[in-house]
Amino acid sequence: MRAVVVERWGGPENLVQREVERPEPGLNEVLVRVHAAGVNPVDWKTRAGGALIDWGTVPAVGWDVSGVVEAVGPGVGMWRPGDEVFGMPLFPRQAGAYADHVVAPARHFAPKPANLTHVEAAALPLAALTAWQALVDTANVRPGERVLVHAAGGGVGHFAVQIAKARGAHVVGTAGADKHDLVRTLGADEVIDYRAVRFEDVVSDVDVVLDGLGGETAERSVKVLRPGGRLITLPGPDDVPATQDGVRAVWMLVEPDHLGLREIAALVERGALKPVVETVLPLADAAKAHEIGERGRTTGKIVLTVV
């Protein structure tokens, strides 16, 4: 089968397509024929040097998958060949989603939303699960709470705006002026141009901040939280700032989540959550996808088509 692998740590030019042996499903595993694979910042961070994992060897990258079950291993009763699925298998361990096939535990997938194409569904898993686990599982956002989403037009951010709104929150998003119309369309009640003003000067009494930027943004975000507020930061454990007044600040890393994927699919199917896909490229152009993503100006998601 075809697979895009990293020949050595470094730039996008190190992503190359190779013919490799097709994996076979083992106990409680499924073989999925990949139709589309989402591209995320963790992909190019891993390609550049390993990101959070000490791989030991240079890996195949990619985690977002939408496709069709082709074979099931012993012990799998929930899937049959021909089922359409989507998921984020094995994260943060190596999955190799930029390929014709992936093998992973059966419960790392969920039924693909019926109203989405494979390209749209491949945009969901990692970014939407991150937003869901941050806002629902970690912060437990409740109706009427004020939620601040940084980078609200990006991959995680555009899902977070919609999920917070579906939870009944008052949503404030930060984004460049060119993304304001989109962020409002997604449901944000207020949008702040972070290039024009400092967000802490114009927003306060926030219950939950979702910070996908880290660094000084996380430090400044503490200032806008009311006593008892929650800050969830995503870049890394070193980005958790000191807090007071009962404010809770945590670093959260997304994990495979069958039930979370089902909740996300339910939101999609009732029209409360929609992926925004800005760029679609063939598998052979994985390096170009990384080049585009690393510019940091993507609205929504980049997706590779495999079938």
Side-chain angles (χ1 to χ4, degrees), residues 57-149:
T57 59
V58 181
V61 294
W63 285 275
D64 276 346
V65 169
S66 183
V68 176
V69 174
E70 196 161 284
V72 301
V76 176
M78 65 188 301
W79 302 117
R80 296 190 230 176
D83 288 340
E84 294 189 321
V85 297
F86 78 122
M88 183 195 69
L90 300 172
F91 188 85
R93 293 165 181 81
Q94 187 172 168
Y98 298 1
D100 287 322
H101 295 86
V102 297
V103 159
R107 290 186 179 272
H108 286 193
F109 299 97
K112 180 181 77 67
N115 57 337
L116 294 187
T117 65
H118 283 293
V119 166
E120 293 169 321
L124 283 168
L126 193 148
L129 272 178
T130 298
W132 178 269
Q133 291 174 6
L135 296 176
V136 179
D137 297 339
T138 304
N140 188 26
V141 169
R142 296 181 287 272
E145 289 194 311
R146 289 171 57 81
V147 175
L148 172 62
V149 177

Side-chain angles (χ1 to χ4, degrees), residues 149-154 158 161 171-197 199 202 299:
V149 177
H150 288 303
H158 88 284
V161 167
V171 182
V172 183
T174 66
D178 57 319
K179 297 183 180 181
H180 281 203
D181 288 345
L182 169 67
V183 175
R184 289 193 184 94
T185 299
L186 297 174
D189 300 284
E190 304 174 49
V191 189
I192 298 168
D193 183 353
Y194 69 91
R195 297 188 184 105
V197 298
F199 65 84
V202 293
T299 298

Side-chain angles (χ1 to χ4, degrees), residues 199-291:
F199 65 84
E200 65 268 35
D201 292 339
V202 293
V203 64
S204 60
D205 292 324
V206 171
D207 295 286
V208 176
V209 176
L210 180 56
D211 164 41
L213 303 172
E216 68 161 355
T217 300
E219 298 280 350
R220 291 160 54 201
S221 292
V222 174
K223 300 175 184 178
V224 308
L225 285 166
R226 62 179 53 167
R230 291 90 79 198
L231 167 66
I232 297 92
T233 190
L234 303 176
D238 294 337
D239 291 292
V240 179
T243 62
Q244 56 186 2
D245 296 326
V247 169
R248 179 185 179 216
V250 298
W251 169 59
M252 192 213 80
L253 181 65
V254 67
E255 59 186 303
D257 182 357
H258 174 77
L259 294 178
L261 287 171
R262 283 187 173 272
E263 294 281 3
I264 288 164
L267 286 178
V268 171
E269 289 175 345
R270 77 167 195 248
L273 185 68
K274 179 180 176 61
V276 174
V277 179
E278 181 179 78
T279 303
V280 181
L281 295 167
L283 180 65
D285 286 344
K288 182 178 179 181
H290 279 215
E291 289 171 3

